[in-house]
Amino acid sequence: MSALDNKINERFPGLVVRKDLVKAVKGNAIVPTYVLEYLLGQYCATNDEESIQSGIETVREILRKHYVHRNEAGLIKSNIREKGRWKIIDRISVALNDKTDAYEASFANLGISKVLIDSGTVKAHPKLLVGGVWCIADIEYDYTEDKNVTPWILGSMKPIQLSQFDYEAYLEARKTFDTDEWIDLLFQTVGFDPEMFGRRSKLIQLMRLIPFVERNYNLIELGPKGTGKSHIFSEFSPHGILVSGGEVTVPKLFVNNSSGKIGLVGYWDVVALDEFAGKQKKVDKALVDILKNYMANKSFSRGVEPLGAEASMVFVGNTKHTVPYMLKNTDLFDELPDKYYDSAFIDRLHTYIPGWEVGVIRGEMFSGGYGFVVDYLAEILRHLRNDDHSDRYRDHFDLSPDISTRDRDGVHKTFSGLMKLLFPHGDATADEIEEILKLALEGRKRVKDQLMRIDTTYPDVDFSFTKKSGEKVVVTTLEEAEYPAFYHRRAQDTDGSPGNGAEGEGAVAERQMDHQQAEATVRAAPAGAGSSEGHFSFAENQKGVTFDKLFGSYLTGASKITITDPYIRAFYQVRNLMELIETIAKNHSPADEVDVHLITCMDGIRPEKQEENLSAIASSCEGTGINFTWEFDDTNTIHARHIVTDTGWKIALDRGLDIFQQYEMNDAFSFANRLQQYRAVKAFEVIYLRSKT
C-alpha cells in the first residue's frame, strides 16, 4: 500500500474500503456502488489482506444468495414459498392504495407488488414513496384463497444506508491530512486514481459533489460522452437520484395536483437529469416555468399553495461539437433543448462544469487505493448541508462590486461547497482560498459569458477580486484563453459585422486584448515568435500546445542544441524527447547538420531499457542530418531543466519535456497519440532568454 493508503486506514479505521473490491464482488449484479460498498464496509473495511479476501467471499455469498436478479426472480419466489421466509436485496418503492387506505410495496427485481407495509416504516423512510430505496428485507409467504390478499408479507426491512457517524471525529481526522492528501482521498473515494490526473482535473471532478453539500444548488455539466458525468449521481449516494431528462414531468418532479403527492424535489437532496442535452427533445413548457421558479426561489406551486424544497438540481448531457466550434458558431449551451435554451433558465445556474476538460474514462484511471465507504461520506456531506462557508474568503479578498447579486450568489454557493468538501475544519491558507475562489468565479463566469452571447440585455461583468494588498486578480476561463478570437462575442456580433449596435472589430479586439493581459489569463507562445524573450504560463487541461509552437522557431538555425532534463527515463519521457527531435528535424535545413546532446540521469530501476531507447533514437537520427548523443550525470544532482542553443537561446522549463497528461499511447488511431495538439497539458511555465553576448 502507498503511504497515503496506510494513513487513510490509520485515521479512518473501519470507514474505508479498497476501491477495486467493488469490481471484484459486483459480477453481474446491477446495483449502485453505494449498495456494494455498504456490504464491503461491513466485512472488508480493513487493510489486512486475509480479512479482505474473507470479506470478499462473504459479500459474494450474500449477493449470490440474496440479491435478486430479474431473470432469477422465479427461483427466489420459490425459495420464499418453500422456506417460508427469505432475505433479499432489492429496490423497494411504496404507493398509497386509497381504496384500501393501506401502503403497498413493490419490489423492482423480484416483480411482486401490493405487499402490505406499515405506515410507521413509510414515515421513517419517506423516500420509499418517491423513486424507491435499496433495502435488505425479509419476505414471507402465506397463501390464502382470498384473491384480494397478497400472499407476500414484508417481515422486516432495512434501507442500505449508514445509521450513525461521528462528525467531530471526521473533522479531527481531516486535520491530520494536508490538502493534497485530502484531495487524493476524496478522489479515490469517487473511484479514480489521483496519479492519473492533475490538480485542476481533480477539483473539477470533485465539483460534482457540491450539490450534495449545498442546498438548492443548480449545476450543469455538458461535455463529450464517456467522461463519467452521471456516475456520481447514480452510484455515489443514497440521497441523490438520477432520472432521464426525457422522462421528467411536473407531477414526477414537483407535485401531483390530483393526489397531492410531492415529487422528487421534496424527498431527495440531489435530483440529476441525465441525457439533458438534445435540441430536438420535446419538453413541457410548464415544467420549464415551474423549474425556473424553483431554481430561483426554492419553491414551487401548481395553483394550490406554494411549497418549498431543498433539492439541488443537476443537469448533465453530451455535446456533439468541439468547444472552438461552439464558440465560433453558437455558444456553450448550444445542445440544450429549445425550451431550456432560455436566458432566464440559464441565468439560474450557479456553475457550469467544463465537461470537455474531463478525459474519456479508461480502465487504468480507476483507483486500487483506499477511499471512504461512499455511504459514510454521503452522510457526512448531508450533514454539511447545514453549514455555510460562503464568507470564508473575506479576510483575504474582496469580490468586484461589479458582480451582480445573482452572480455573487452563484460564486458564493460554489465557493462554500468546495470549502466544505476540502476544508470542513476551516483551516485553509490564503493561497488555497484563492484557488477555490477562482474556480467558483470561473464556473459562474462561464454561465454569464454565454448569456451575453444569447441575450443582448446582459451587460459585461468584471469577474475579479482584490487582495487586501490592493492587487486586482481578473479571472478567466480556460477556453477564453485558448480561443480568444471566438470567445469574446456578444449576441449582436453573430453576423460578423458591427451593425445593429454591435461593437466594431477594433473594440472587440481591444476587449480581447484587455482579457489577454489580465493577470489570470493563460497565454500561449504563438508559432513563429522565436525572436522575442518572454515568460509564458500554461493552465492544466489546456490543449493546442505543441513542441513545434513552443520550440520550433527558437531552435531554427542552431547547429548545437543541449537538452538538460534529469527525467528522461520512462518510455513516455523518452518519447517526448523523440518528438522534440522531430520538431528539430522539421525546422532545420537539409543542407545543415545539428548536434543534439542530452544530459540526464540514469534510471535506477531499468537503466538497460533507458539506454536501449536512447540508442534507438540515435539510430533513427542517422541520415537525417541530426547527430544525437547523450550522457548521464554521475552525481545525480542536476535539477534544472532547460534547452540551450549555440544561437544564444536558453529555454527554461519548470517541467522539462514532461508537459503532457497521460494519454492512450497504445491506440494507433487516437489523435492524442498521433498529434500533440489534441493532448491536454499539465500546468507548466516556460521562459525564453537570449544571451546578450
Side-chain angles (χ1 to χ4, degrees):
M1 293 197 303
S2 68
L4 177 60
D5 286 334
N6 282 320
K7 187 172 184 178
I8 291 170
N9 274 279
E10 179 184 340
R11 299 295 191 272
F12 292 99
L15 298 171
V16 295
V17 68
R18 215 175 71 203
K19 289 296 168 172
D20 59 335
L21 299 183
V22 173
K23 288 185 178 180
V25 302
K26 188 165 188 176
N28 62 346
I30 312 300
V31 298
T33 298
Y34 66 81
V35 173
L36 295 176
E37 290 201 10
Y38 175 88
L39 297 173
L40 289 169
Q42 307 295 309
Y43 302 99
C44 301
T46 175
N47 61 348
D48 178 69
E49 189 62 31
E50 185 175 340
S51 299
I52 288 174
Q53 293 306 317
S54 174
I56 288 175
E57 291 305 315
T58 301
V59 173
R60 282 175 174 165
E61 184 67 11
I62 290 173
L63 289 174
R64 187 184 66 79
K65 281 187 175 181
H66 304 296
Y67 171 74
V68 180
H69 295 273
R70 284 190 177 93
N71 59 353
E72 296 178 352
L75 177 61
I76 299 296
K77 291 178 184 178
S78 175
N79 287 339
I80 299 172
R81 178 184 182 278
E82 297 302 323
K83 298 181 181 296
R85 172 187 285 255
W86 194 261
K87 189 182 295 293
I88 67 167
I89 298 174
D90 202 351
R91 187 176 184 88
I92 303 176
S93 57
V94 173
L96 174 65
N97 186 333
D98 53 7
K99 294 181 180 180
T100 61
D101 190 31
Y103 288 106
E104 296 176 345
S106 299
F107 293 73
N109 290 350
L110 190 58
I112 61 175
S113 58
K114 296 185 178 181
V115 180
L116 294 181
I117 181 171
D118 66 276
S119 59
T121 301
V122 176
K123 289 179 181 178
H125 308 289
K127 287 181 185 176
L128 289 165
L129 293 165
V130 186
V133 177
W134 281 92
C135 302
I136 298 176
D138 286 313
I139 302 296
E140 301 175 4
Y141 184 86
D142 185 14
Y143 178 78
T144 66
E145 294 186 359
D146 187 348
K147 295 182 179 180
N148 296 320
V149 177
T150 179
W152 308 105
I153 301 170
L154 180 61
S156 64
M157 186 205 73
K158 178 183 179 184
I160 295 178
Q161 56 190 79
L162 197 69
S163 59
Q164 61 182 0
F165 63 93
D166 188 339
Y167 180 63
E168 293 303 321
Y170 174 83
L171 294 183
E172 288 301 313
R174 165 62 185 95
K175 295 176 183 178
T176 66
F177 290 80
D178 64 35
T179 304
D180 286 331
E181 290 175 333
W182 189 252
I183 290 173
D184 287 353
L185 168 53
L186 292 177
F187 206 62
Q188 288 186 172
T189 299
V190 174
F192 295 116
D193 181 356
E195 295 298 318
M196 299 290 293
F197 298 84
R199 186 179 177 98
R200 176 180 169 87
S201 294
K202 295 174 191 175
L203 292 177
I204 284 176
Q205 295 202 54
L206 290 178
M207 286 177 71
R208 294 168 174 170
L209 297 178
I210 296 177
F212 292 99
V213 296
E214 281 293 314
R215 294 188 177 102
N216 301 104
Y217 185 73
N218 307 319
L219 177 151
I220 190 167
E221 179 177 358
L222 302 176
K225 59 184 178 181
T227 57
K229 293 183 290 295
S230 60
H231 168 75
I232 280 178
F233 307 107
S234 64
E235 300 278 313
F236 185 77
S237 171
H239 304 306
I241 186 169
L242 179 74
V243 294
S244 171
E247 297 177 359
V248 174
T249 61
V250 173
K252 184 173 184 178
L253 193 58
F254 292 107
V255 63
N256 187 319
N257 276 352
S258 61
S259 66
K261 183 179 177 181
I262 302 298
L264 298 173
V265 298
Y267 295 94
W268 298 90
D269 291 351
V270 180
V271 177
L273 304 188
D274 194 14
E275 300 171 356
F276 185 68
K279 296 183 73 68
Q280 306 305 318
K281 287 189 175 180
K282 294 182 180 180
V283 178
D284 181 4
K285 188 177 185 302
L287 171 64
V288 179
D289 291 338
I290 296 177
L291 186 58
K292 286 192 292 189
N293 182 66
Y294 173 72
M295 291 167 66
N297 305 314
K298 310 172 188 176
S299 64
F300 54 93
S301 172
R302 294 200 69 196
V304 181
E305 62 176 332
L307 300 168
E310 298 180 351
S312 294
M313 296 300 304
V314 176
F315 309 92
V316 294
N318 297 330
T319 54
K320 293 182 179 178
H321 303 295
T322 64
V323 171
Y325 179 93
M326 290 188 286
L327 292 176
K328 179 182 178 182
N329 296 285
T330 53
D331 55 75
L332 298 179
F333 288 104
D334 175 60
E335 292 296 331
L336 292 190
D338 289 340
K339 294 290 194 305
Y340 287 108
Y341 192 76
D342 174 89
S343 59
F345 169 77
I346 293 172
D347 198 18
R348 285 157 169 75
L349 297 169
H350 294 124
T351 200
Y352 185 149
I353 293 180
W356 49 86
E357 287 194 43
V358 181
V360 174
I361 303 303
R362 306 189 304 271
E364 65 268 24
M365 292 180 175
F366 293 106
S367 174
Y370 282 80
F372 291 120
V373 175
V374 291
D375 193 49
Y376 167 70
L377 183 60
E379 296 304 320
I380 293 291
L381 300 187
R382 190 177 206 206
H383 180 84
L384 284 166
R385 289 170 75 88
N386 298 317
D387 297 342
D388 181 13
H389 291 195
S390 60
D391 62 350
R392 298 278 174 109
Y393 66 88
R394 289 179 175 163
D395 289 341
H396 307 280
F397 311 104
D398 295 309
L399 288 185
S400 166
D402 187 45
I403 298 177
S404 68
T405 300
R406 182 163 284 174
D407 292 331
R408 194 175 295 263
D409 287 345
V411 172
H412 280 174
K413 288 182 78 68
T414 304
F415 176 81
S416 176
L418 284 171
M419 286 294 291
K420 292 180 195 178
L421 289 170
L422 303 183
F423 305 101
H425 57 312
D427 187 14
T429 66
D431 288 342
E432 290 168 337
I433 291 173
E434 180 176 357
E435 179 182 33
I436 291 176
L437 186 58
K438 284 181 177 178
L439 275 175
L441 282 160
E442 181 186 335
R444 177 59 188 177
K445 185 180 191 298
R446 186 171 288 109
V447 174
K448 199 59 177 282
D449 284 353
Q450 302 314 301
L451 275 173
M452 292 190 295
R453 299 165 70 98
I454 296 170
D455 190 332
T456 60
T457 63
Y458 285 92
D460 275 322
V461 179
D462 176 21
F463 280 92
S464 68
F465 58 90
T466 306
K467 299 180 180 181
K468 293 304 181 181
S469 63
E471 179 186 357
K472 182 178 179 179
V473 178
V474 178
V475 174
T476 60
T477 67
L478 180 56
E479 59 271 17
E480 179 178 3
E482 288 185 292
Y483 313 108
F486 303 140
Y487 192 89
H488 299 291
R489 294 174 58 214
R490 296 298 304 264
Q492 61 265 44
D493 295 334
T494 53
D495 62 356
S497 63
N500 301 320
E503 298 171 286
E505 291 183 5
V508 174
E510 182 178 351
R511 180 152 46 82
Q512 291 176 7
M513 187 62 67
D514 289 341
H515 281 278
Q516 290 172 22
Q517 291 177 344
E519 185 224 4
T521 300
V522 181
R523 296 165 295 166
S531 61
S532 60
E533 296 182 296
H535 179 188
F536 298 94
S537 298
F538 296 81
E540 182 183 326
N541 295 338
Q542 186 171 344
K543 292 184 178 179
V545 181
T546 68
F547 286 171
D548 289 350
K549 287 184 179 181
L550 284 176
F551 309 125
S553 52
Y554 290 87
L555 303 180
T556 300
S559 59
K560 184 177 174 110
I561 300 171
T562 303
I563 305 161
T564 302
D565 187 335
Y567 297 101
I568 306 295
R569 304 176 182 180
F571 174 79
Y572 76 91
Q573 294 167 334
V574 179
R575 172 171 168 160
N576 287 338
L577 172 65
M578 182 63 192
E579 290 181 343
L580 175 62
I581 295 175
E582 289 172 2
T583 291
I584 296 171
K586 294 174 189 175
N587 288 275
H588 95 287
S589 169
D592 298 328
E593 291 191 347
V594 184
D595 292 331
V596 179
H597 185 65
L598 170 70
I599 303 173
T600 189
C601 294
M602 183 175 289
D603 186 354
I605 301 175
R606 298 188 65 190
E608 70 287 346
K609 190 63 178 177
Q610 180 187 23
E611 291 208 59
E612 179 185 330
N613 290 333
L614 293 175
S615 296
I617 291 179
S619 298
S620 294
C621 290
E622 293 178 2
T624 65
I626 297 175
N627 304 312
F628 174 68
T629 57
W630 74 91
E631 66 175 281
F632 293 122
D633 176 65
D634 294 334
T635 63
N636 216 32
T637 58
I638 57 172
H639 300 290
R641 306 180 189 184
H642 50 67
I643 302 171
V644 178
T645 74
D646 61 353
T647 55
W649 282 110
K650 179 177 181 179
I651 307 172
L653 303 160
D654 64 338
R655 283 190 176 273
L657 302 181
D658 187 12
I659 65 171
F660 298 111
Q661 296 183 31
Q662 293 193 42
Y663 57 93
E664 182 52 70
M665 289 193 293
N666 294 322
D667 185 354
F669 301 102
S670 165
F671 273 98
N673 185 18
R674 302 183 65 86
L675 297 172
Q676 290 180 334
Q677 60 261 40
Y678 288 95
R679 303 173 194 167
V681 301
K682 304 172 183 177
F684 73 98
E685 297 182 359
V686 56
I687 303 173
Y688 302 94
L689 300 170
R690 187 70 181 264
S691 172
K692 304 303 181 184
T693 58

